[in-house]
Amino acid sequence: MKKTAHEQYDELASQGVLKRTLHSIRTRYSLATAFLILLCLAVFYIGGRIVLVHMMREAERQVEEIGYDISRLAYSHADMVVKESRKSAAEVAKLVVNGEPVSKVLLKPEFYNLSLVLAFSKSGVFSFGAAKGAGGVVAVSSADVSPYVERLSEWIAPTSAGSSPVVGLVQLCGRAHYVFVVPPVEGSEMRFVVGAPFDSTVFTSSVNNGFSGLDVRVVNRKVAVSVSLSSSAKAAQRADKGTAGFGIVPMLSEAISFYSGGFWNLGSNPYEAVFALRDIAGNAVSMISVSLPTSLSTVTRSALGRFTFFISMVGIVLILPIFWFQGRVLLNPLTRMTEAIRDLGEHHEDIDCPSIDWEGNDEFAMLALSVNRMLETITERTVKIAQVEARHRALIDGLPDALAVFDRRGRLVAVNKQPEGTPPLPGMVRGEAPSAEVFGEEGSKAIAKAIAAVFEAPSVQAVRLESSGDDPRNFEVRITRMDEVFALAIVRDVTREAAEHKLRLAAEARALDASKRESLTLLAAGIAHDVNNVLSVILSTVESAAADSGSGLDIVAIRDAVMRGSRMTKELMAFAGDNKVSLLRASPEFFVKDIQALVSHVVSGNVAISYALAEGLPDVDADPNQFWKVFFNIIKNATEALGERPGHINISTEPFEMTEEKAATFISERPLLPGPGVVFKIADDGPGIPTGLLPKLFDPYVSSKTLGRGLGLATVRTIVEAHGGGIKVESVLDHGTTFTIFLPQTKLPDGSREGASVQKKAPGSLPSEVLVVDDDEAILKTLSILLKSLGVSAHVARDRVSALAVMRRRSSCIDSILMDAHIGGVDVVRLFDAFRVASPDVPVVVVSGSPEEDIRKMFGTRKYNGFLGKPFTVRELKATLLEVCG
């Protein structure tokens, strides 16, 4: 397995100093440089030594050539000796033939230059002989001559008179002799070999005289070597051979060098050549050394030593500075660069943006610049990656969702995050698919299908799951593919969202219902206003007529009819929102008992009514003058639904904690706030309400009774909503119906009453002149008649201009103003402001068929003096004028 960069760095850092030094580029470069320098010095040394050795070889060859030159000198010396002894030898041969003993002959003074006489037969058989030795002349035996008999026989055989004698060297009687064959003596069959003494001292002296500067001497040692002859030596050997094939050269062996130690050893004197003096039998007789002066050898050795020393010193002088130069100049930047990069590797986590500080403009500066750019890029990318990771982590941490990983087979691999603020995901077990027991067969199959789909095509699959149990939860699962093996599932707990969705649907339904109710409310308010105007005209006209004549009219019947119509319009206005409530804090039992006496007159004898009132309930806020209508209408409807058959109605109270989920089950135009409260339940065992009618039960003009107007339950809903509560109905055919009314816990202090009647002032006197402003001509006429009946002078105006004109003319006489709240084409509020500017002390009474609450909202912070609702009687008109003018 390949090691990571961190592992390789740790392994390298854990190595010893020596091992790291050996692996260092600097060390390897130094060793390579040293090796190259030493190799160059070795080549230079070997080349110089080869040159010197070649020079010495050339000197040796010259010595060898000199040796063969000396061999030619030796031949000349032998020839000279033979020439000097030849005449004496011929005489000796004659004397011996004539019978004189050989020993005597050799002792004669005239034959001093002869040292050996050997007599042979013609066939080459040795007969006798004598030789001069250290003790005088001695006889030579056949045993002494036996080594040379064969060669001498060869010499003697071809010898004839006049032939050139062949010279050789023999060792007899302890002395070396030049030997040569004497021409035969006439008349004799004997053959003589005569010898002249060989004196090495004389030989070397002659050589030294012939070659100045050479050292030629007799060496008392013998060597057994074989040396190949050089081309020049071989040529000299061929030139020195005699006609018979034997010359002086065989007497002297080839030049032999003592340079025998190999290429590197020069020996004691490389310029020395040693010659072996051999007899005709090939035996070494003596050794003669020929050498150059010793000073030359000493100089050569000294030169070679100095050359070696020079090479060594050059190597030392070159290697040390080169090492210093490459260490300080060439390799020191590399070392500093390595240390800088190593420091970055060890301390990069301590620096936000690591970099290498480098001075200069060399290649290392370019390298440092490149490394810094690379580090900047890496740092920027690292920062970006860290930022992206931080964003992703913040995004993941901020998500309230769970993250789960599934494999291709739909099995849970891991849950990386649980949803915050909620219990763990149910039905999720590692190694298994989502539980069908928790999510149902359809849910389990749906998520498995979605996981398979994301692997077939790159897409995002969404699945909604609902868990079973006592506390069901809703989940939205979005699945996307991570790679070829795993899929990521984002699981969001949407239980609250689902509940809010239901609430939103309910709110939208309430908003739609409110919109419908608002349209109906506006319609009802308009109708009520117009009807009140008509009834007001009728009532005012009747009362005026009654005041004028008082006969012929059934004033009571007409007034009752008008008041009945007024009650109908008030009922319509109540549905339209004219519900001025004066809230009273009391226990729920108080409001139930407040209607017991009234209910007894509504419920027929075949219907039993019971009460189940819980104790310890919190107080609620309600208007007793309004809230009784809720019980009255519901109980009245239940009684009518039971008809003639026996039945039972139960009124109960119990505590109730309102929540968002429970609020969705109640009908209310405004949202019900969570909190404690009380519910009033009115249940009957009647025939129930048809299912199709339940959603529209509280709409106006919807009724299950043939003769019903359908405003009772609509009014109930309006009153309950005005109290900040809600209502719901549950019904089962043939089993009865239950109405549940919710009121929140009281918000008023104990014993307080909201909207209480203002203490009225004590009545005073009627005004003398009144300005009546209305756009309805009939109302202007009837009001003028009524005011006249009261002894009040009326001035009428149908628009803004007329009204202000009257005020300018009669500003000092007008005591009060009756102004309709709705005048076509006139901004009543601005007109009211104009009245206040023109006559701030004149009281203004607003007349309207709309609820006073709406009038108050219309006028805002402006305060009028009184309100008179249409239709009104003369008595109500008088009371109002007395109130505002008192």
Side-chain angles (χ1 to χ4, degrees), residues 782-802:
T782 56
L783 277 177
S784 297
I785 295 173
L786 289 177
L787 289 172
K788 184 177 180 180
S789 66
L790 295 175
V792 178
S793 178
H795 301 277
V796 297
R798 298 185 60 181
D799 53 29
R800 174 187 174 87
V801 176
S802 300

Side-chain angles (χ1 to χ4, degrees), residues 135 387 685:
Q387 292 175 349
D685 55 359

Side-chain angles (χ1 to χ4, degrees), residues 226-238:
S226 59
V227 181
S228 359
L229 297 178
S230 63
S231 58
S232 60
K234 292 180 180 180
Q237 182 180 17
R238 287 193 298 270

Side-chain angles (χ1 to χ4, degrees), residues 541-551 785 788-789:
T541 303
V542 170
E543 297 232 358
S544 299
D548 290 338
S549 60
S551 60
I785 295 173
K788 184 177 180 180
S789 66

Side-chain angles (χ1 to χ4, degrees), residues 306-613:
R306 286 195 298 270
F307 178 72
T308 304
F309 177 76
F310 173 75
I311 293 297
S312 301
M313 292 305 297
V314 167
I316 295 173
V317 171
L318 286 179
I319 289 176
L320 293 179
I322 287 176
F323 280 3
W324 179 88
F325 180 77
Q326 72 181 7
R328 299 293 299 177
V329 179
L330 296 181
L331 295 178
N332 190 54
L334 178 60
T335 302
R336 289 194 295 116
M337 177 64 71
T338 304
E339 292 177 354
I341 295 176
R342 183 187 62 192
D343 292 339
L344 286 180
E346 293 178 352
H347 305 290
H348 67 279
E349 295 181 353
D350 303 332
I351 306 174
D352 293 335
C353 184
S355 62
I356 299 175
D357 296 331
W358 195 268
E359 297 180 356
N361 297 318
D362 54 1
E363 291 82 356
F364 290 102
M366 296 295 295
L367 178 60
L369 181 60
S370 300
V371 172
N372 290 338
R373 289 182 178 176
M374 179 183 66
L375 291 176
E376 290 176 0
T377 303
I378 293 174
T379 302
E380 291 177 358
R381 293 184 179 179
T382 303
V383 170
K384 290 181 180 178
I385 292 173
Q387 292 175 349
V388 171
E389 289 181 351
R391 294 192 195 103
H392 290 175
R393 178 54 56 190
L395 179 61
I396 292 175
D397 294 339
L399 286 176
D401 306 329
L403 300 179
V405 179
F406 292 89
D407 59 12
R408 296 180 68 97
R409 299 176 62 182
R411 298 174 301 186
L412 180 67
V413 176
V415 177
N416 295 333
K417 182 184 177 185
Q418 289 283 0
E420 296 180 358
T422 59
L425 295 177
M428 297 289 182
V429 181
R430 284 186 174 87
E432 298 181 6
S435 174
E437 296 179 357
V438 176
F439 300 108
E441 291 292 339
E442 294 184 359
S444 180
K445 291 180 180 179
I447 193 170
K449 183 178 179 181
I451 293 174
V454 298
F455 285 104
E456 294 176 357
S459 60
V460 178
Q461 300 291 327
V463 180
R464 280 192 171 268
L465 301 176
E466 183 176 358
S467 63
S468 58
D470 298 335
D471 188 12
R473 298 167 61 189
N474 297 90
F475 298 96
E476 182 181 82
V477 184
R478 297 180 65 84
I479 304 172
T480 182
R481 184 174 65 179
M482 299 175 62
D483 50 32
E484 297 297 329
V485 180
F486 300 110
L488 176 66
I490 303 175
V491 184
R492 173 171 295 181
D493 191 333
V494 293
T495 303
R496 180 177 297 178
E497 287 79 353
E500 292 177 353
H501 179 68
K502 293 179 181 178
L503 293 177
R504 185 167 57 252
L505 293 179
E508 291 176 355
R510 287 195 300 269
L512 180 61
D513 182 58
S515 177
K516 292 165 56 179
R517 286 172 55 83
E518 182 178 4
S519 300
L520 293 174
T521 298
L522 293 176
L523 178 61
I527 295 173
H529 180 270
D530 295 338
V531 171
N532 283 333
N533 286 338
V534 174
L535 293 177
S536 179
V537 172
I538 296 174
L539 185 58
S540 299
T541 303
V542 170
E543 297 232 358
S544 299
D548 290 338
S549 60
S551 60
L553 293 173
D554 189 354
I555 301 300
V556 176
I558 296 174
R559 184 183 291 117
D560 289 342
V562 171
M563 296 309 296
R564 191 179 300 112
S566 177
R567 285 194 296 271
M568 292 175 61
T569 58
K570 288 183 178 179
E571 184 178 355
L572 187 61
M573 294 296 290
F575 161 72
D578 182 18
N579 291 300
K580 296 180 289 182
V581 293
S582 298
L583 299 178
L584 173 70
R585 173 175 176 174
S587 66
E589 183 179 0
F590 169 79
F591 295 105
V592 175
K593 291 182 177 180
D594 185 53
I595 65 167
Q596 286 184 359
L598 180 63
V599 169
S600 61
H601 298 287
V602 177
V603 178
S604 58
N606 62 318
V607 178
I609 187 168
S610 62
Y611 298 91
L613 306 180

Side-chain angles (χ1 to χ4, degrees), residues 716-781:
V716 167
R717 173 181 173 180
T718 302
I719 295 173
V720 171
E721 289 178 349
H723 284 75
I727 187 171
K728 68 177 178 178
V729 59
E730 298 171 324
S731 180
V732 179
L733 291 177
D734 298 330
H735 287 81
T737 303
T738 300
F739 286 86
T740 304
I741 298 99
F742 167 78
L743 288 183
Q745 185 176 346
T746 181
K747 295 181 176 61
L748 297 176
D750 190 15
S752 65
R753 181 181 295 274
E754 185 176 300
S757 300
V758 180
Q759 182 66 32
K760 296 184 179 180
K761 297 180 181 179
S765 61
L766 290 173
S768 59
E769 294 184 12
V770 174
L771 173 62
V772 181
V773 183
D774 202 315
D775 59 347
D776 193 334
E777 186 68 28
I779 292 178
L780 291 176
K781 290 181 179 181

